[in-house]
Amino acid sequence: APDFAGHLIKGGKLAMRTFFILISACLVAALGAPTAEVERNDISDAINLYERNDIDLAFRSLRTLAEQGDIDAQVMMGAMYAKGRGVVQNHANAAIWWRLAGEQGNVMAQYFLGGLYRHGRGVSQDFAKAAKWLRLAAEKGLSEAQQNLGVMYIEGHGVRQDYIRAHKWLLLAAAQGNKSAEFNMKLLVGSMTATEIALARQQARQWILERHR
């Protein structure tokens, strides 16, 4: 069997600015010109401030919202702590905010928290917890989480090594254009029988059917 540990590409991580752009695309479209101060205490204002590079004010606005339970603000707070943007980099604080949002079902928080546990950043490395959070995000259809979970099944980290399940998750991620998943899947099939590959594809189809019921 090939040495996957020497060849696997790590799952892609959304860059901090890209993450904010993705959210702002959904929330800022209806806003006019940005205001000098936070006149409306909501996520849209905080994103405007961030995009204007008014990081300190954006951070204070987000922290207020996050402490009030706003999920998107909690995710952003985690991202700012993880990146060290507007605050001293602190992965432990990032984990706190992402856990709060992840427990409320936010897919990005679940994915990011899984990554922290997988690599032991800000938390004790725990592959079982990493697999737990990545699975939650993968089940919601996030290709990055599906790719990372597939790799964990290949490596047997936090889960029992299972090439069929690994192939299933990598196939689902690759179908969404995830190049890392496509690369890893090509490596994986060399260690699988035709029967195992067929079963993995069947499981992937079943997952899609159940998700679209």
Side-chain angles (χ1 to χ4, degrees), residues 116-127 129:
L116 292 184
Y117 275 114
R118 185 180 178 196
H119 299 290
R121 294 174 183 164
V123 294
S124 297
Q125 189 175 49
D126 189 322
F127 290 127
K129 289 182 179 179

Side-chain angles (χ1 to χ4, degrees), residues 36-47:
E37 299 294 334
V38 181
E39 295 178 355
R40 291 182 298 165
N41 196 25
D42 59 19
I43 284 292
S44 299
D45 288 319
I47 293 173

Side-chain angles (χ1 to χ4, degrees), residues 9-13 111 118-119 144 147-148 151 178 180 184:
I9 295 177
K10 292 182 180 179
K13 294 184 289 184
Y111 168 60
R118 185 180 178 196
H119 299 290
E144 291 85 355
Q147 137 70 16
N148 278 270
V151 169
N178 190 297
S180 294
N184 289 330

Side-chain angles (χ1 to χ4, degrees), residues 11-48:
K13 294 184 289 184
L14 292 179
M16 176 66 174
R17 185 162 182 80
T18 301
F19 173 72
F20 273 91
I21 290 173
L22 287 172
I23 294 180
S24 63
C26 299
L27 299 178
V28 181
L31 293 180
T35 57
E37 299 294 334
V38 181
E39 295 178 355
R40 291 182 298 165
N41 196 25
D42 59 19
I43 284 292
S44 299
D45 288 319
I47 293 173
N48 269 339

Side-chain angles (χ1 to χ4, degrees), residues 53-75:
N53 208 35
D54 194 344
I55 304 303
D56 289 340
L57 191 55
F59 180 83
R60 291 197 299 272
S61 178
L62 286 168
R63 183 173 58 190
T64 297
L65 291 166
E67 290 173 348
Q68 294 171 351
D70 187 285
I71 299 174
D72 291 328
Q74 291 171 347
V75 177

Side-chain angles (χ1 to χ4, degrees), residues 30-166:
L31 293 180
T35 57
E37 299 294 334
V38 181
E39 295 178 355
R40 291 182 298 165
N41 196 25
D42 59 19
I43 284 292
S44 299
D45 288 319
I47 293 173
N48 269 339
L49 290 167
Y50 185 89
E51 290 299 315
R52 289 163 48 203
N53 208 35
D54 194 344
I55 304 303
D56 289 340
L57 191 55
F59 180 83
R60 291 197 299 272
S61 178
L62 286 168
R63 183 173 58 190
T64 297
L65 291 166
E67 290 173 348
Q68 294 171 351
D70 187 285
I71 299 174
D72 291 328
Q74 291 171 347
V75 177
M76 291 180 177
M77 283 290 291
M80 295 185 82
Y81 271 114
K83 184 68 173 179
R85 186 70 167 149
V87 67
V88 176
Q89 187 178 48
N90 189 317
H91 286 99
N93 284 344
I96 290 172
W97 288 113
W98 283 338
R99 183 176 289 104
L100 288 172
E103 288 173 348
Q104 297 184 74
N106 183 278
V107 63
M108 294 309 302
Q110 292 168 345
Y111 168 60
F112 289 141
L113 186 57
L116 292 184
Y117 275 114
R118 185 180 178 196
H119 299 290
R121 294 174 183 164
V123 294
S124 297
Q125 189 175 49
D126 189 322
F127 290 127
K129 289 182 179 179
K132 166 195 168 182
W133 288 106
L134 288 173
R135 186 186 309 280
L136 288 171
E139 290 289 359
K140 290 183 173 70
L142 187 67
S143 71
E144 291 85 355
Q146 293 171 339
Q147 137 70 16
N148 278 270
L149 185 59
V151 169
M152 294 189 77
Y153 270 113
I154 292 174
E155 298 173 333
H157 286 170
V159 293
R160 180 177 59 83
Q161 188 178 58
D162 188 327
Y163 284 0
I164 294 175
R165 290 181 178 173

